Amino acid sequence: MYDTIIIGSGPAGLSAAVYAKRAALNTVVIEKNYGGTGQIAESERVDNYLGLYGESGFDLGERFRAHAKALGTEFYEGEVTAVLSEADGYRVRLSDGAELQTRTIVYAAGASPRKLCVKGEAEFARKGVSYCAVCDGAFYKDKTVAVIGGGDTALGDALYLANTAKKVYIVHRRDQFRANRLLQERVSNTDNIELILNAVPTEIAGSKRTESLHLIRGGQGETLSVDGIFIAIGTIPNSGILQGLAALSADGYVIAGEDCATSAKGIFAAGDVRTKPLKQVSTAVADGANSILSVTEYLEENGR
Amino acid sequence: MAARVDKDTFESEVLHSERLTLADFYSDSCVPCKRLSPVLAEIEEKYENEIKLVKININFDLELAEKYEVQSVPAILFFRNGEVVSRLDGFVKSGEISSVIENLK
């Protein structure tokens, strides 16, 4: 029986592991991808994590992981398929059939890229449709691409792609961007970026590979000829496993305050999966610490 | 240790290779590609006498990627006698690569 099982190995989960080891809790980190460090690994550069200015997201994640490992954190590669409530805690079922018993859970499963949910998206995935500009940008040297979205990621992707692509469209459903001012200024100063605003994508089409993006703008159907489509419309919380167990917000986040306590006794939510105004590495790391304080208090109150 | 091949060495190193050859298409700054690297190193060790592993950086050798319809990385293409006999797209676990190799052995 574990004192706590940490689900997820992003910054929140790894921070929780560090605090759990220092609190001498019997714990294990369950991770879907071996050696993972969560979404931060995909960030080209992190300029707002205190003390480690300019570090790549990948390197930052590796540092977090090395820290957790240095304290003796155990990792288990597997996907959680169910969390079952029991009299003295929870039973965590994994995709390999294993079941682990624990008194408490730190749920730090993070979030995944949101899908556009249009016809052709699945069919052309890896054939012109991508969710990672820094991974696949090189395929579109001197070609035409569309970036869908209006936040920091979308505009950052568009700028990255504009370095090598012939032309980059930014397709956004509103007439204004959510992205920060600096990015917006850089986009408007980039000649080969064209904005397609108030436009809703309806279909991705092609034969062997992606050839066009159909959309509706101002009530009219339009077609953009593109070689690639990068989808950057935010993330969705990986909270499905807790459905029916802990209260979720309308958009699927696990409802919990700074103490990370959810509506389910002994389950604490940390990181991007928790309802919070600012999703950052710094707030995920803070959640990791707070969740373990809550776990410790819970175990003391409920007899360790 | 997997050697990087380019369009000049591709024919001799991959198409004329006597062993089942795994070509790992990757790009710089691609995180899933970085994560796949140690997995492939393990596979290379495990099948030391049976396979050959090469790497193709699509930042430099886009033509090869285009030729083999690789439009996203990482992608592992399995070559035998100059032909693609199987492929795995995206980040894959060690077991998935092993099972393709076992099937092709």
Side-chain angles (χ1 to χ4, degrees):
Chain A
M1 173 81 85
Y2 287 101
D3 292 324
T4 192
I5 284 182
I6 298 164
I7 300 174
S9 60
L14 293 170
S15 166
V18 165
Y19 277 80
K21 290 309 283 186
R22 288 174 55 84
L25 299 178
N26 179 19
T27 186
V28 63
V29 176
I30 299 177
E31 54 179 359
K32 197 160 61 175
N33 293 317
Y34 177 71
T37 55
Q39 298 169 85
I40 191 58
E42 309 287 347
S43 287
E44 203 185 352
R45 190 183 148 111
V46 180
D47 278 346
N48 55 8
Y49 191 72
L50 194 63
L52 294 169
Y53 175 69
E55 190 101 335
S56 78
F58 184 85
D59 291 343
L60 192 61
E62 293 302 304
R63 276 181 189 256
F64 291 166
R65 200 176 167 89
H67 187 164
K69 280 182 95 166
L71 293 174
T73 302
E74 261 182 72
F75 292 88
Y76 192 117
E77 185 188 359
E79 195 164 353
V80 176
T81 55
V83 173
L84 309 166
S85 182
E86 296 196 323
D88 54 353
Y90 293 93
R91 184 185 293 266
V92 175
R93 188 174 288 162
L94 295 154
S95 48
D96 63 2
E99 292 194 333
L100 306 175
Q101 280 178 291
T102 182
R103 300 286 312 283
T104 66
I105 289 171
V106 172
Y107 193 81
S112 302
R114 185 185 290 278
K115 297 266 163 57
L116 194 57
C117 298
V118 298
K119 193 174 166 212
E121 182 180 18
E123 187 187 344
F124 292 103
R126 303 198 157 271
K127 293 174 188 160
V129 173
S130 174
Y131 302 85
C132 180
V134 294
C135 299
D136 297 332
F139 289 104
Y140 302 96
K141 189 169 183 279
D142 302 323
K143 293 190 173 175
T144 301
V145 297
V147 174
I148 299 172
D152 286 355
T153 305
L155 269 60
D157 284 357
L159 288 163
Y160 179 83
L161 292 163
N163 286 324
T164 50
K166 183 172 71 187
K167 168 136 200 149
V168 179
Y169 293 107
I170 298 179
V171 177
H172 185 43
R173 60 188 168 150
R174 304 188 198 285
D175 60 357
Q176 281 184 342
F177 294 116
R178 285 189 319 277
N180 71 59
R181 293 298 272 264
L182 187 66
L183 283 171
Q184 294 196 37
E185 267 170 38
R186 286 178 58 202
V187 161
S188 59
N189 292 330
T190 306
D191 291 338
N192 60 339
I193 296 182
E194 183 179 333
L195 307 183
I196 311 281
L197 302 176
N198 295 310
V200 179
T202 52
E203 186 183 342
I204 293 165
S207 50
K208 265 177 104 174
R209 48 172 73 188
T210 300
E211 288 166 8
S212 60
L213 175 67
H214 298 283
L215 49 88
I216 291 176
R217 177 158 57 159
Q220 299 286 313
E222 274 180 50
T223 301
L224 299 177
S225 286
V226 293
D227 303 294
I229 296 172
F230 289 84
I231 298 170
I233 52 171
T235 56
I236 48 167
N238 299 323
S239 60
I241 291 290
L242 292 191
Q243 211 152 32
L245 207 58
L248 307 181
S249 66
D251 44 3
Y253 290 89
V254 185
I255 298 174
E258 201 184 354
D259 64 0
C260 300
T262 71
S263 66
K265 271 181 69 175
I267 299 184
F268 303 89
D272 281 6
V273 79
R274 173 172 86 82
T275 47
K276 58 159 87 173
L278 184 63
K279 296 183 188 70
Q280 291 281 298
V281 177
S282 55
T283 63
V285 166
D287 280 5
N290 282 317
S291 63
I292 294 300
L293 176 67
S294 296
V295 163
T296 312
E297 285 175 355
Y298 176 89
L299 291 174
E300 275 165 14
E301 281 164 22
N302 293 275
R304 197 167 164 174
Chain B
M1 181 65 188
R4 203 185 119 195
V5 303
D6 57 24
K7 63 180 193 311
D8 299 327
T9 54
F10 185 77
E11 192 169 338
S12 61
E13 293 296 319
V14 178
L15 299 182
H16 293 161
S17 166
E18 295 189 347
R19 291 185 190 176
L20 176 65
T21 299
L22 279 61
D24 168 28
F25 287 79
Y26 71 100
S27 74
D28 297 330
S29 72
C30 152
V31 170
C33 303
K34 282 184 194 172
R35 296 233 187 277
L36 190 60
S37 238
V39 175
L40 283 168
E42 235 174 67
I43 291 283
E44 193 180 21
E45 205 168 300
K46 184 173 167 192
Y47 294 100
E48 198 183 3
N49 300 312
E50 293 152 278
I51 65 153
K52 176 172 167 181
L53 176 67
V54 301
K55 290 182 175 287
I56 294 160
N57 184 331
I58 64 108
N59 294 91
F60 295 94
D61 293 291
L62 198 52
E63 284 167 46
L64 285 173
E66 299 248 321
K67 185 173 174 194
Y68 290 100
E69 296 286 335
V70 173
Q71 272 195 286
S72 182
V73 282
I76 307 166
L77 272 63
F78 298 72
F79 287 87
R80 173 176 278 155
N81 301 328
E83 302 282 330
V84 179
V85 287
S86 191
R87 68 184 281 167
L88 290 169
D89 285 285
F91 179 82
V92 285
K93 293 187 172 33
S94 173
E96 297 172 69
I97 305 170
S98 294
S99 88
V100 173
I101 294 173
E102 294 294 337
N103 280 333
L104 292 172
K105 258 180 15 179

